[in-house]
Amino acid sequence: MKILVPDSDKKRIIIVGGGFGGLALADKLCNGIFQVVLIDRHNYHQFQPLLYQVASAGLEPSAISFPFRKNFRKKKEFYFRMTEVTKINSDKHSIETPIGSLDYDYLVIAAGTTTNFFGNEVIKKVALPMKSVEEAINLRNTLLINLEKALDSHDSQKRRSLLNIVIVGGGATGVEIAGALSEMKRYILPEDYPDLKDEEMNIYLIEGSDRLLAVMSEEASAHALRFLTDMGITVILNKHAIDYRDGNVILSDGESLLTNTLIWVSGVIAERFDNISPELMGHGGRLLVNEFNQLQGYRDIFAIGDICLQTEATYPKGHPQVAPVAIQQGELLAENLKRMEQGELLKPFMYKDKGTLATVGRNKAVADIKKIRLQGFLAWAVWLLVHLRSILGVKNKLMVLFNWIWNYVMYDQSVRFIFRSNPKH
Amino acid sequence: MKILVPDSDKKRIIIVGGGFGGLALADKLCNGIFQVVLIDRHNYHQFQPLLYQVASAGLEPSAISFPFRKNFRKKKEFYFRMTEVTKINSDKHSIETPIGSLDYDYLVIAAGTTTNFFGNEVIKKVALPMKSVEEAINLRNTLLINLEKALDSHDSQKRRSLLNIVIVGGGATGVEIAGALSEMKRYILPEDYPDLKDEEMNIYLIEGSDRLLAVMSEEASAHALRFLTDMGITVILNKHAIDYRDGNVILSDGESLLTNTLIWVSGVIAERFDNISPELMGHGGRLLVNEFNQLQGYRDIFAIGDICLQTEATYPKGHPQVAPVAIQQGELLAENLKRMEQGELLKPFMYKDKGTLATVGRNKAVADIKKIRLQGFLAWAVWLLVHLRSILGVKNKLMVLFNWIWNYVMYDQSVRFIFRSNPKH
């Protein structure tokens, strides 16, 4: 069965995934010489850098989400389908999904990555990942439910396990969620849960390497560590979480941490598709592409963003898996696809690194911008501006800005609702 | 096992349900001569009159919800517990919940009503109710998923069933959701789903009696009917939905309507508790109370709001099940409980009816205010003001106002996201 997309005299490009890369590509391709089909398992683009604020009840999920159909209104020859690509038949130039198959002239894989549990099924079962808006909502629900349960547990052991939070992974996401939760503990807990003693709640941040924010400068790592320690987070370096037993997270040195809430942001692995041979995959399952983002050995299949592994002189091991790389690759690929059609030479990708930012809390952030190192209020202000600028849509910008001002002035992460939801049909 | 609430030298009042009535009562009782324990199955108060705007993607769920703990911050001797009362032991003066039992000096039942499927299990299984924020989110998700599915159904029969919407119940909620969905069909469908022909989507509103908005004036009913008909809604009066078979809603005269989306807002029935004898229940399971809202035959058990049935000269059959009655009963009961403690005479309840409003769409509403009948833009403006005034919390007021202005100017119900969510633990 075929997916219902009308045939066209234009060549068809299928883009798999509407993250930063896929969206940048589609935006540039639309109303051009191609028919564009975007496939995503959600009906909206999610602004991942702010997921942690949804999880910590600072922002509405809708504030960091943008419906694809709204974004591509009025675009001719554009088609969105909410489904998943299960299989790529490169010989037949077609993809397969639960709602049918579809032929392509060009295929762009921009499906990104998923949480890496390193094959640990126990941890996969209990841990709370934070890669999607829905996972962030689940985390928010779980955190709030645990607080309510803690109030009613007669057993102090159980209460501590409901209140303790263990975050595994000291990258930007881990640092940011740790900071947000420590502020929740400091500003919300005493107000909303006066019956809970805050010494019963401990927040741990576990990082396997010897520093936080490994992709950033030593200075940034040091400042982030100091900020978090000052905020009451117990940061544990050089240890891995290897198991979860009897309600405890077990660390590589045997230490065990009692908790009901294991937040897992310790690594990612590329999304997988059938029929893509392992030789085409590098570290973390990333698809090996050339300087034009062409999948090795293919002329009509491309991969961009977190899912691809592309090397250049300054990045011999590949680019960092961050939004700017994906966006720049998407924009260049749009140009290159047009060049291919006009038989022109393709431009090789070169990443322009504008810098790296991570925020820890109120007035606390770290920034590496070229050779400049910022921390504290200034870095925090830069972080706010950069993120506000990047959020899709005027309404979302206003909503986020309004919520940020509100939360900042009121010391209040105000979206503390337990909303469960599952469509009936 | 006892619920963990500290003993106090003050008398304990347990309030079951944090709707309009329970909240008004608790607000007036706090920091007074009682210990107040509020029990609700959600951790937030929901502003039910705007549920239909959440279901139709016009408002964020968080904009019409307010966390109890935030509302009662700094209140002394106030305790909230997120659980459900399963049983009332009037002889032992205690209630039972899944997290334990609790003794009371006074018990106030403000648990409201739930959707009435009139014992029809088939309909209960397929129908989508709209009595809670979570049900509204489910309805939104279902509506959006059906649109996506419709795009990919090769079979026109299936496509029509995914697009058709049948709303059962011509009260305010039915009229309001019908209007909102017709605007979604008119303004959103052609923009976001150009591939769907809008003649394939039909919205039906089924009402068993001979007019819509039965609680309002004949004029209001007539105008609502005209508004909806002009907006393309097929209004069917004097018929009941009696069954759902092979994807069709079956009406009392045998007519069948093909649909995958059956919205059920046709009636309510009082929430039930074990150990409350049937003699204490009137029409719709409502608890019979005297003029002081005392449950018949009890001195220390009260019922307020939709769940109670109280008669007065002007309301021989009981009050309408609307927010103002609940709020006024809650406020009076707070006074009366203090009077009881001081051995003073209790004041009987007399409902001050400020009028009834229902909105149908942009600039379209009906209002009965005392003897005055308004419709169209003026009624709509009044509706906006009244509801904005009643929403709890400055932030929510601003959020709702902002969203209303945005949606009005942009002709856009902009919260079109499919967010599924279920806490892991």
Side-chain angles (χ1 to χ4, degrees):
Chain A
M1 196 174 60
K2 291 265 174 213
I3 295 180
L4 287 173
V5 173
D7 292 325
S8 156
D9 49 1
K10 297 179 172 182
K11 284 193 176 174
R12 175 181 296 153
I13 295 181
I14 297 180
I15 302 171
V16 183
F20 288 107
L23 204 68
L25 173 65
D27 278 333
K28 279 217 181 300
L29 285 178
C30 276
N31 291 348
I33 57 175
F34 298 103
Q35 179 192 66
V36 178
V37 179
L38 174 64
I39 294 177
D40 196 287
R41 66 168 74 104
H42 298 112
N43 73 331
Y44 52 89
H45 167 76
Q46 39 196 11
F47 190 73
Q48 291 198 14
L50 291 180
L51 279 178
Y52 81 96
Q53 293 197 9
V54 171
S56 54
L59 288 176
E60 281 77 19
S62 54
I64 65 161
S65 310
F66 199 88
F68 290 120
R69 297 192 177 280
K70 192 172 158 65
N71 187 62
F72 291 99
R73 277 183 176 194
K74 308 245 192 319
K75 295 294 170 79
K76 287 181 200 62
E77 294 279 349
F78 171 85
Y79 299 91
F80 169 73
R81 287 299 179 270
M82 190 176 75
T83 185
E84 277 181 79
V85 172
T86 52
K87 197 171 174 189
I88 294 166
N89 300 318
S90 51
D91 49 339
K92 296 203 228 100
H93 306 281
S94 75
I95 53 129
E96 286 178 28
T97 79
I99 60 170
S101 64
L102 192 62
D103 304 336
Y104 60 79
D105 296 292
Y106 296 108
L107 175 66
V108 182
I109 304 170
T113 59
T114 182
T115 301
N116 189 355
F117 295 100
F118 304 99
N120 188 322
E121 287 305 317
V122 184
I123 285 177
K124 185 176 183 179
K125 198 164 149 297
V126 297
L128 296 149
M130 217 174 68
K131 277 284 289 177
S132 73
V133 171
E134 289 174 343
E135 286 172 347
I137 298 172
N138 283 342
L139 180 50
R140 184 186 75 189
N141 284 339
T142 306
L143 290 166
L144 294 169
I145 288 171
N146 287 346
L147 289 173
E148 297 296 333
K149 281 186 185 165
L151 277 172
D152 282 299
S153 41
H154 298 245
D155 159 22
S156 79
Q157 172 96 344
K158 187 181 176 211
R159 199 160 56 248
R160 283 201 351 270
S161 116
L162 285 163
L163 292 175
N164 285 346
I165 298 170
V166 175
I167 303 157
V168 177
T173 313
V175 166
E176 291 177 330
I177 189 68
L181 292 178
S182 83
E183 292 189 332
M184 197 180 226
K185 176 189 173 182
R186 179 169 172 194
Y187 301 119
I188 307 300
L189 206 63
E191 298 280 350
D192 277 16
Y193 301 87
D195 322 1
L196 293 175
K197 299 172 217 57
D198 73 346
E199 64 267 23
E200 286 186 302
M201 180 188 234
N202 295 297
I203 305 173
Y204 303 90
L205 178 59
I206 315 298
E207 164 58 33
S209 79
D210 61 354
R211 64 185 183 107
L212 301 169
L213 304 173
V215 298
M216 293 184 71
S217 65
E218 300 274 355
E219 293 94 313
S221 305
H223 284 292
L225 178 61
R226 188 170 54 75
F227 286 145
L228 286 175
T229 314
D230 294 349
M231 290 164 79
I233 306 282
T234 310
V235 179
I236 301 177
L237 300 173
N238 300 307
K239 293 188 191 178
H240 296 273
I242 57 170
D243 198 2
Y244 184 87
R245 232 181 295 124
D246 322 323
N248 287 272
V249 179
I250 312 297
L251 303 186
S252 39
D253 66 343
E255 185 181 355
S256 70
L257 303 169
L258 176 74
T259 188
N260 186 49
T261 313
L262 169 57
I263 301 174
W264 192 263
V265 289
S266 78
V268 295
I269 186 163
E271 292 278 0
R272 284 175 180 281
F273 302 93
D274 293 354
N275 289 20
I276 296 257
S277 87
E279 294 91 69
L280 294 174
M281 298 179 193
H283 176 68
R286 293 167 77 176
L287 299 173
L288 303 169
V289 298
N290 64 14
E291 67 270 42
F292 311 118
N293 285 94
Q294 270 168 319
L295 188 61
Q296 267 186 20
Y298 293 89
R299 187 188 156 281
D300 57 355
I301 303 182
F302 302 80
I304 59 173
D306 292 359
I307 200 173
C308 81
L309 187 61
Q310 180 183 56
T311 57
E312 58 177 279
T314 31
Y315 298 93
K317 289 176 167 171
H319 303 105
Q321 290 167 293
V322 293
V325 173
I327 293 168
Q328 292 173 31
Q329 286 177 333
E331 289 170 344
L332 178 67
L333 181 54
E335 292 177 36
N336 277 336
L337 284 163
K338 292 170 194 160
R339 286 203 186 79
M340 274 178 99
E341 287 306 293
Q342 285 137 15
E344 299 169 15
L345 283 176
L346 305 189
K347 275 196 193 165
F349 180 75
M350 287 177 65
Y351 175 44
K352 291 167 218 60
D353 183 359
K354 297 206 190 76
T356 317
L357 296 156
T359 189
V360 187
R362 299 173 71 84
N363 316 329
K364 292 196 196 72
V366 289
D368 297 342
I369 301 161
K370 303 262 184 305
K371 294 267 154 294
I372 306 157
R373 308 269 174 265
L374 297 176
Q375 56 278 332
F377 180 80
L378 192 53
W380 181 75
V382 174
W383 183 93
L384 289 180
L385 285 174
V386 169
H387 284 75
L388 204 54
R389 246 188 77 255
S390 334
I391 294 165
L392 213 56
V394 178
K395 183 176 179 233
N396 287 12
K397 280 183 168 58
L398 293 171
M399 293 245 310
V400 169
L401 181 61
F402 170 67
N403 275 279
W404 279 352
I405 293 170
W406 183 274
N407 299 349
Y408 187 81
V409 175
M410 310 300 257
Y411 286 81
D412 187 8
Q413 293 143 311
S414 49
V415 196
R416 295 191 296 283
F417 306 102
I418 299 163
F419 292 138
R420 299 178 189 79
S421 138
N422 260 334
K424 204 158 182 175
H425 308 304
Chain B
M1 198 173 60
K2 291 266 174 209
I3 295 181
L4 287 173
V5 172
D7 292 323
S8 155
D9 49 359
K10 296 179 173 183
K11 284 192 177 177
R12 176 181 295 154
I13 295 180
I14 298 179
I15 303 171
V16 183
F20 287 107
L23 204 68
L25 173 65
D27 278 332
K28 278 215 180 303
L29 284 179
C30 276
N31 292 348
I33 57 174
F34 299 102
Q35 179 191 67
V36 178
V37 179
L38 174 65
I39 294 176
D40 196 288
R41 66 168 74 103
H42 299 111
N43 72 330
Y44 52 88
H45 167 76
Q46 40 195 10
F47 190 74
Q48 292 199 15
L50 292 180
L51 279 178
Y52 81 95
Q53 294 198 8
V54 171
S56 55
L59 287 176
E60 281 77 17
S62 52
I64 65 161
S65 311
F66 199 87
F68 289 121
R69 297 192 176 280
K70 191 173 160 67
N71 187 64
F72 292 99
R73 276 183 177 195
K74 307 243 193 314
K75 296 294 169 82
K76 288 181 200 60
E77 292 280 345
F78 171 86
Y79 299 91
F80 168 73
R81 288 300 179 269
M82 189 175 76
T83 185
E84 277 182 83
V85 172
T86 52
K87 197 170 175 191
I88 294 166
N89 301 317
S90 51
D91 48 341
K92 296 202 228 102
H93 307 280
S94 76
I95 53 131
E96 286 177 28
T97 79
I99 60 169
S101 65
L102 192 63
D103 304 335
Y104 60 79
D105 295 294
Y106 297 107
L107 174 66
V108 183
I109 304 170
T113 59
T114 181
T115 302
N116 189 355
F117 295 100
F118 304 99
N120 189 319
E121 287 305 317
V122 185
I123 285 177
K124 185 176 183 178
K125 200 166 149 296
V126 297
L128 296 150
M130 216 174 70
K131 276 284 290 177
S132 72
V133 171
E134 288 173 344
E135 287 172 348
I137 298 172
N138 283 342
L139 179 49
R140 184 186 77 188
N141 283 339
T142 306
L143 290 166
L144 294 169
I145 288 170
N146 286 346
L147 289 173
E148 296 297 332
K149 282 186 185 166
L151 277 172
D152 281 297
S153 40
H154 299 244
D155 160 20
S156 78
Q157 172 95 345
K158 185 178 177 213
R159 199 161 55 248
R160 281 199 356 269
S161 117
L162 285 163
L163 292 174
N164 285 345
I165 298 171
V166 175
I167 303 157
V168 177
T173 312
V175 166
E176 291 177 330
I177 189 68
L181 292 178
S182 84
E183 292 189 332
M184 198 180 222
K185 176 188 174 182
R186 180 168 170 194
Y187 301 118
I188 306 300
L189 205 62
E191 299 279 352
D192 277 16
Y193 300 87
D195 321 2
L196 293 174
K197 298 170 216 62
D198 74 345
E199 64 266 25
E200 286 186 301
M201 180 187 235
N202 295 297
I203 305 173
Y204 303 90
L205 179 59
I206 316 298
E207 164 58 34
S209 78
D210 61 354
R211 65 183 181 108
L212 301 169
L213 303 174
V215 299
M216 294 183 70
S217 64
E218 299 274 355
E219 294 96 313
S221 304
H223 283 291
L225 178 60
R226 188 170 55 75
F227 286 145
L228 286 175
T229 314
D230 294 348
M231 291 164 79
I233 306 282
T234 310
V235 179
I236 300 177
L237 299 172
N238 299 308
K239 293 188 192 177
H240 296 271
I242 56 170
D243 198 2
Y244 184 87
R245 232 183 293 124
D246 322 323
N248 288 272
V249 179
I250 312 297
L251 303 186
S252 40
D253 67 342
E255 184 181 355
S256 70
L257 303 169
L258 177 73
T259 187
N260 186 50
T261 313
L262 169 57
I263 301 175
W264 193 264
V265 289
S266 81
V268 295
I269 185 163
E271 292 279 0
R272 285 176 181 279
F273 301 93
D274 292 354
N275 289 19
I276 296 257
S277 87
E279 294 91 68
L280 294 175
M281 298 178 194
H283 176 68
R286 292 167 77 176
L287 300 173
L288 302 169
V289 298
N290 64 13
E291 67 269 43
F292 311 118
N293 286 93
Q294 271 167 320
L295 188 61
Q296 266 186 20
Y298 293 89
R299 187 187 158 281
D300 58 355
I301 303 182
F302 303 80
I304 58 174
D306 291 1
I307 199 172
C308 82
L309 187 61
Q310 180 184 56
T311 57
E312 57 177 283
T314 30
Y315 298 93
K317 288 179 170 166
H319 302 105
Q321 290 168 293
V322 293
V325 173
I327 293 167
Q328 291 174 33
Q329 287 178 332
E331 288 171 344
L332 179 66
L333 181 54
E335 290 177 38
N336 277 336
L337 283 163
K338 292 170 194 161
R339 286 203 185 77
M340 274 178 98
E341 286 307 293
Q342 285 136 15
E344 299 168 14
L345 283 175
L346 305 189
K347 275 195 193 165
F349 180 75
M350 287 177 67
Y351 176 43
K352 291 169 218 58
D353 183 359
K354 297 207 188 79
T356 316
L357 298 154
T359 189
V360 187
R362 300 173 70 85
N363 315 329
K364 293 196 195 72
V366 290
D368 297 342
I369 301 160
K370 303 261 185 307
K371 293 265 152 293
I372 307 158
R373 308 269 172 265
L374 299 176
Q375 57 278 330
F377 180 80
L378 192 54
W380 180 75
V382 174
W383 182 92
L384 289 180
L385 284 174
V386 169
H387 284 75
L388 204 55
R389 246 188 77 256
S390 336
I391 294 165
L392 213 56
V394 179
K395 182 176 180 232
N396 286 11
K397 281 182 166 61
L398 292 171
M399 292 246 311
V400 170
L401 180 62
F402 170 67
N403 274 279
W404 280 352
I405 294 170
W406 183 274
N407 299 347
Y408 187 81
V409 175
M410 309 301 257
Y411 287 81
D412 188 7
Q413 292 141 312
S414 48
V415 196
R416 295 191 296 285
F417 305 103
I418 299 163
F419 291 138
R420 299 178 190 79
S421 140
N422 259 335
K424 204 156 182 175
H425 307 304

